[in-house]
Amino acid sequence: MKKAFYLLLASVSMLIIFQSNVTANASYKDQMYADTTVYKMKKGNKPSEDMLLKYFTIHKGTWLKSDKYSSKYGGWIISTSDFHSGKYVYYLILKNNFWSVNEKSSYQKMPHMLWQRKVWGYVPVYSSPKSSHVKFYLNKYKHTIWTVDYEAKSSEHNYSVLYHIRNGHVSGWVWRGYLKFAPHRNLMVQTPGDDQVYLYNNPSKENNYPLTSGPTYNAIQFKGSDKVWVQPMAKEMDDYGWTYLKNLLVK
């Protein structure tokens, strides 16, 4: 009898844990962070026979119910509360202008590239993207080079994108428009021969793959560094990853 009771108790405990995890995960959805064109398509017998019915724009801040990349169609098939991709009709976007976020505030990892202030004057640096509390002003560190490791947006700042900057023990959140890349040179690079070159610190899930022979890639080399930051897709900031310059050919 006792054994049956403990088995029942264990089962109930596991169910509670499972439900708790589902609830926690359910608070995260994919949300558009930029206005994006959506193509409503009617399926044909094969992709080349698909027909465009119409196109329209969904706006920054739209929540997605589902999204899945399709190599067959060269984009992401999505659904929202206003439309649904099904068996005969699907909705396609060609840019992955979305990220997995908490519904109240969103965070995304960034490649640890180097930045400096872009404008003079009193630029506020906040303690949190959810807060309007000014931690310090950027002009206090006039010549500091900062590393960015996260970006976020919050309704507290009208859904502006903020970067988390740090240098040693000093850190905070600042609007990305107040920053620019630290001194650097722009490069065009290729892989040598048929070699594959892997990138490090690339936060992008979809584009985290090795560089291959053939294509020419945009790259940045910061002053005094033997690393180059390569952008395989030439799309978003989180596409960058680094490798050593000696691993590549400069065009």
Side-chain angles (χ1 to χ4, degrees), residues 114 185 187 220-230 242-248 250:
L114 303 180
R185 63 170 180 157
L187 303 173
I220 288 177
Q221 182 183 23
F222 291 106
K223 185 178 180 180
S225 175
D226 57 352
K227 299 176 182 177
V228 287
W229 291 85
V230 186
W242 71 266
T243 185
Y244 290 107
L245 181 60
K246 65 182 182 182
N247 296 331
L248 298 170
V250 178

Side-chain angles (χ1 to χ4, degrees), residues 48-221:
S48 61
E49 296 178 355
D50 291 359
M51 181 185 300
L52 174 64
L53 299 179
K54 67 174 183 177
Y55 63 91
F56 56 94
T57 299
I58 54 174
H59 296 292
K60 173 181 176 181
T62 300
W63 294 101
L64 302 182
K65 285 197 166 183
S66 66
D67 52 79
K68 184 178 181 181
Y69 181 74
S70 171
S71 57
K72 181 168 63 174
Y73 297 111
W76 288 261
I77 296 176
I78 66 170
S79 297
T80 71
S81 59
D82 295 322
F83 55 81
H84 175 73
S85 293
K87 186 176 180 181
Y88 301 106
V89 172
Y90 63 94
Y91 295 83
L92 183 72
I93 59 174
L94 301 179
K95 294 184 178 180
N96 61 333
N97 294 336
F98 57 85
W99 48 20
S100 296
V101 301
N102 184 285
E103 291 187 45
K104 293 184 178 179
S105 181
S106 59
Y107 297 83
Q108 180 164 309
K109 288 183 178 180
M110 291 284 286
H112 296 173
M113 302 174 77
L114 303 180
W115 299 75
Q116 64 184 30
R117 68 173 185 158
K118 182 179 180 180
V119 298
W120 299 94
Y122 291 91
V123 173
V125 179
Y126 302 101
S127 57
S128 164
K130 301 178 185 178
S131 170
S132 58
H133 172 258
V134 177
K135 192 174 182 180
F136 61 89
Y137 288 94
L138 208 56
N139 65 307
K140 183 179 178 181
Y141 303 93
K142 294 182 180 180
H143 305 294
T144 301
I145 301 298
W146 303 93
T147 298
V148 169
D149 50 9
Y150 285 92
E151 68 177 359
K153 60 186 176 64
S154 171
S155 56
E156 182 67 33
H157 299 281
N158 196 30
Y159 292 99
S160 296
V161 176
L162 306 181
Y163 282 174
H164 183 255
I165 58 174
R166 59 179 173 82
N167 183 296
H169 297 295
V170 182
S171 65
W173 294 86
V174 63
W175 178 51
R176 66 179 177 181
Y178 290 141
L179 299 174
K180 64 180 180 179
F181 278 138
H184 65 279
R185 63 170 180 157
N186 296 313
L187 303 173
M188 299 297 290
V189 297
Q190 287 183 326
T191 62
D194 295 327
D195 295 346
Q196 288 189 337
V197 176
Y198 287 85
L199 300 179
Y200 300 93
N201 188 222
N202 182 330
S204 176
K205 293 179 181 178
E206 287 89 359
N207 304 324
N208 193 8
Y209 54 81
L211 305 180
T212 57
S213 61
T216 301
Y217 302 98
N218 295 318
I220 288 177
Q221 182 183 23

